Amino acid sequence: MIRLFSLLFTIFTNVSYAQVTPTVIRDRPSCSACRISLSLKATLGDANGGPGELHGNVRGVRADDAGNLFVSFFAWGELLAQFDRAGSFQRRIGRLGSGPGEYRAAWLFEVIGDSLFIIDPGTARLTVHSLRLNRELRSASVSWLARASALARSTDGTIVGNTVVETPEEAGYPLHQFSADGKKLKSFGSVAPSLRPDLRLATMRSVAPGLSGGMWVAQVSSYDIELYDRAGSLIQLYRREADWFPPGSGRIVTAQPDGEPPQPKVVGVQEDERGRLWVLSIVADSGWRRAFSADRLPPRRAGAPQYYGVEDTNRLYDSVIEVIDPRSGKLISSTRVDEALAAFAGRNMAWSSVEQGGLTGVAQVRLWGLAFREH
Amino acid sequence: MTMLQRFALVPAVVLMTGTLSMTPAPAVSGPTGRAERIIAAAQTCPSWCTFCHAMNNDMWSYPSEFPNNDGYFGCSAGACEWGNCPETEEQMTAEEFGTAIVIATEGSPAEISEILDQHPRRVVLNEQRSAIQIKGCRGEIIAHIPVDPSRLAGLLDIEYGTR
């Protein structure tokens, strides 16, 4: 009887989710006089040696309230780097290792108040690092979070992470709310939870806190923006219809110069202080075929296909920056820029990277200011 | 769950969905092409498998080389390849895994039932979530595929032998 009740509950819950009617956002901007502009504010990372030289693929850039900037990497043994608002290198966060205050792969992090919340898949730990004291405050084992790909703080002090959880009860839900000590509180974020290894992009989300206390969630492979309330219930769904962004299947397609162009992706969503929604997407650059290496990379194993490597991501992608009014469900303004923006770095800021040589090569971060003018 | 409870659940589900598949059980066909594509996609670059030691070491291993051209979402710091469980565990090849996903996604109740029988510890029906789940070597869920109400009713009908 209990199982029957559970089944009924599941069905009725899904029915209530399904009742959220998508608001379709079409191409025509409602404000023809409005302009979105992008301006270079700083370049982070020394190009010619020194303590501020960065290596590897840049994973994330975030700003704190004081304007300090933090950079993480997809690279073993590359600690988080801190820069001031002018772009001058300040310090590295923590030390290499597996002990207290140490990191093996401090890839994913979020700035919350005057602390960094760092997820280190190398040690499977969530560490809270005080910026004021410059030391670890606490850490917790969070193996379930080790592969998280996005984090956002909620207004109630909890955190929402986008990751794959492999338990029978939670598998298929893309979002997981947890406390500051890494305790899982709730899983949500899908009308029909599904997990397939061939549709990895379908599980990936960008997340950002909403002014109302809820959570904005953008699918990566389709231009769908969802708003969840504090309880994790879907309350709004915006579906952007644009020729340049056909809905994706969730399948990862390896772009190659002799094949189809790279898929568009939503890389960031953010609500500004006036309740407008900013959305960053990347789309194939008109010259995307020139982004690849001249020669194919060595095969992964004997007989495996050989791929061309991407040498310049900024040649592979352009970015589309859009401002949406969620109240009217209308696109306010849209612009396309010749730069592959990776994500928001903070309010009115986005970042891109210039990487030379993959995992061990020198990298620099471009920090961009975003502005919106109504006249 | 006792057998009695199982029998009680089936008519309830059927009543709710209003459907009951009476189609004779077809043999499990081999949607080999789609399965191969699933395997290929999973092996090319599982983006959330950003490095292998967080995965089950018995099942995944670092490839010697990997492409780093899958866009902006990882895949550059590592990728994993499908492997086999230790001998003590129920084996499931990559091909069987791909086929199980295809059948769970679009197969008939009889086809799903056959997959459940073939891999009883790796492919399971999660009734509470109305889904087929495929497990890795440690029991972790590596695929979760919802089953629509009509197919679920048919599957329960077969599994619990009410006809």
Side-chain angles (χ1 to χ4, degrees), chain A residues 3 7-8 57 121 147 166 168-169 171 173 193 195-196 198 200 254 256 265 300-301 308 313 342 359, chain B residues 1 16 38 43-45 48 51 64-65 69-70 72-73 76 81 97 105 127 129 133 141 143-144:
Chain A
R3 298 185 76 157
L7 196 59
L8 281 166
N57 297 125
R147 283 175 279 135
E166 299 172 327
E169 299 78 18
Y173 287 104
L195 172 64
R196 285 179 45 162
D198 57 324
R200 293 288 187 241
T254 303
Q256 288 288 279
K265 298 183 183 80
R300 295 172 63 184
R301 57 185 178 280
Y308 294 95
T313 309
L359 299 178
Chain B
M1 176 184 270
M16 281 186 297
I38 288 172
Q43 290 182 335
T44 300
C45 186
W48 50 270
F51 69 102
S64 55
E65 299 284 345
N69 51 4
D70 276 309
Y72 234 61
F73 288 93
S76 53
E81 292 180 336
F97 175 69
T105 304
E127 290 174 41
R129 297 194 60 196
Q133 296 183 328
I141 305 300
H144 172 95

Side-chain angles (χ1 to χ4, degrees), chain A residues 1 3-4 6-8 10-11 57 74-76 104-105 107 121-123 146-147 164-173 192-201 203-204 206 220 251-256 265-267 282 292 297-301 307-310 313-314 316-317 340-343 351-353 355 358-359, chain B residues 1 5-6 8-9 12-13 16-17 34 37-55 60 62-82 97 101-102 105-106 125-131 133 135 138-146 149 152 156 160:
Chain A
M1 201 60 201
R3 298 185 76 157
L4 177 59
S6 299
L7 196 59
L8 281 166
T10 303
I11 290 169
N57 297 125
F74 266 137
W76 292 102
R104 291 173 62 195
W107 293 351
T123 59
R147 283 175 279 135
V164 170
V165 173
E166 299 172 327
T167 62
E169 299 78 18
E170 294 145 327
Y173 287 104
S194 176
L195 172 64
R196 285 179 45 162
D198 57 324
L199 304 179
R200 293 288 187 241
L201 280 181
T203 66
M204 299 188 74
S206 291
V220 168
R251 198 178 304 278
I252 294 174
V253 179
T254 303
Q256 288 288 279
K265 298 183 183 80
V266 177
V267 296
I282 49 175
F292 294 89
L297 300 173
R300 295 172 63 184
R301 57 185 178 280
Y307 295 98
Y308 294 95
V310 172
T313 309
N314 289 305
L316 188 64
Y317 291 112
L341 298 177
W351 66 275
S352 61
S353 64
E355 295 161 4
L359 299 178
Chain B
M1 176 184 270
Q5 285 173 314
R6 288 184 174 184
L9 182 60
V13 172
M16 281 186 297
T17 58
R34 287 193 298 278
R37 283 199 295 276
I38 288 172
I39 297 159
Q43 290 182 335
T44 300
C45 186
S47 64
W48 50 270
C49 170
T50 46
F51 69 102
C52 295
H53 89 265
M55 303 290 286
W60 301 89
Y62 276 114
S64 55
E65 299 284 345
F66 45 83
N68 68 343
N69 51 4
D70 276 309
Y72 234 61
F73 288 93
C75 301
S76 53
C80 301
E81 292 180 336
W82 181 269
F97 175 69
I101 286 184
V102 172
T105 304
E106 56 193 60
L125 168 63
N126 185 328
E127 290 174 41
Q128 190 163 354
R129 297 194 60 196
S130 306
Q133 296 183 328
K135 297 180 177 180
R138 294 170 298 144
E140 77 279 18
I141 305 300
I142 51 180
H144 172 95
I145 300 157
L152 179 64
L156 291 172
Y160 301 138

Side-chain angles (χ1 to χ4, degrees), chain A residues 41-335:
Chain A
K41 294 182 73 170
T43 300
L44 313 182
D46 297 332
N48 302 307
E53 187 174 275
L54 309 178
H55 300 94
N57 297 125
V58 180
R59 173 66 180 85
V61 179
R62 298 295 290 170
D64 68 8
D65 290 341
N68 296 304
L69 297 152
F70 303 89
V71 182
S72 71
F73 308 86
F74 266 137
W76 292 102
E78 191 79 1
L79 293 164
L80 272 161
Q82 179 177 341
F83 296 81
D84 67 16
R85 63 169 60 237
S88 295
F89 174 76
Q90 300 298 301
R91 62 184 176 183
R92 296 280 181 167
I93 303 294
R95 304 176 303 278
L96 291 176
S98 300
E102 296 178 338
Y103 304 90
R104 291 173 62 195
W107 293 351
L108 184 63
F109 71 101
E110 180 60 272
V111 180
I112 299 180
D114 65 351
S115 296
L116 297 176
F117 280 61
I118 303 166
I119 292 177
D120 179 351
T123 59
R125 284 197 312 233
L126 167 66
T127 298
V128 181
H129 177 95
S130 166
L131 291 170
R132 188 171 52 82
L133 303 174
N134 191 28
R135 67 172 174 82
E136 174 184 322
L137 292 181
R138 61 181 181 274
S139 72
S141 177
V142 288
S143 55
W144 67 275
L145 258 177
R147 283 175 279 135
S149 59
L151 289 180
R153 63 182 165 77
S154 299
T155 49
D156 62 2
T158 61
I159 306 164
V160 170
N162 170 217
T163 191
V164 170
V165 173
E166 299 172 327
T167 62
E169 299 78 18
E170 294 145 327
Y173 287 104
L175 301 172
H176 309 276
Q177 186 179 23
F178 58 99
S179 60
D181 58 1
K183 185 182 175 190
K184 220 184 307 171
L185 302 172
K186 180 171 56 202
S187 298
F188 65 105
S190 178
V191 173
S194 176
L195 172 64
R196 285 179 45 162
D198 57 324
L199 304 179
R200 293 288 187 241
L201 280 181
T203 66
M204 299 188 74
R205 304 286 189 273
S206 291
V207 287
L211 296 181
S212 62
M215 189 65 62
W216 288 103
V217 178
Q219 298 218 15
V220 168
S221 58
S222 295
Y223 200 151
D224 283 355
I225 311 291
E226 301 161 331
L227 177 62
Y228 290 86
D229 65 14
R230 292 174 197 225
S233 297
L234 178 67
I235 53 176
Q236 286 284 352
L237 169 60
Y238 300 91
R239 180 154 293 158
R240 178 79 169 88
E241 278 190 359
D243 291 341
W244 52 269
F245 203 135
S249 65
R251 198 178 304 278
I252 294 174
V253 179
T254 303
Q256 288 288 279
D258 51 358
E260 295 293 311
Q263 303 156 287
K265 298 183 183 80
V266 177
V267 296
V269 61
Q270 190 174 82
E271 185 176 1
D272 69 15
E273 64 282 358
R274 293 179 59 180
R276 297 175 300 211
L277 210 52
W278 290 67
V279 183
L280 297 183
S281 306
I282 49 175
V283 296
D285 188 299
S286 58
W288 65 271
R289 292 179 199 276
R290 295 195 300 272
F292 294 89
S293 57
D295 299 311
R296 293 177 190 268
L297 300 173
R300 295 172 63 184
R301 57 185 178 280
Q306 288 181 260
Y307 295 98
Y308 294 95
V310 172
E311 292 197 329
D312 186 350
T313 309
N314 289 305
R315 279 193 173 179
L316 188 64
Y317 291 112
D318 287 347
S319 298
V320 175
I321 311 167
E322 300 202 315
V323 178
I324 292 167
D325 177 9
R327 289 170 290 269
S328 66
K330 286 190 163 46
L331 175 68
I332 301 173
S333 190
S334 177
T335 194

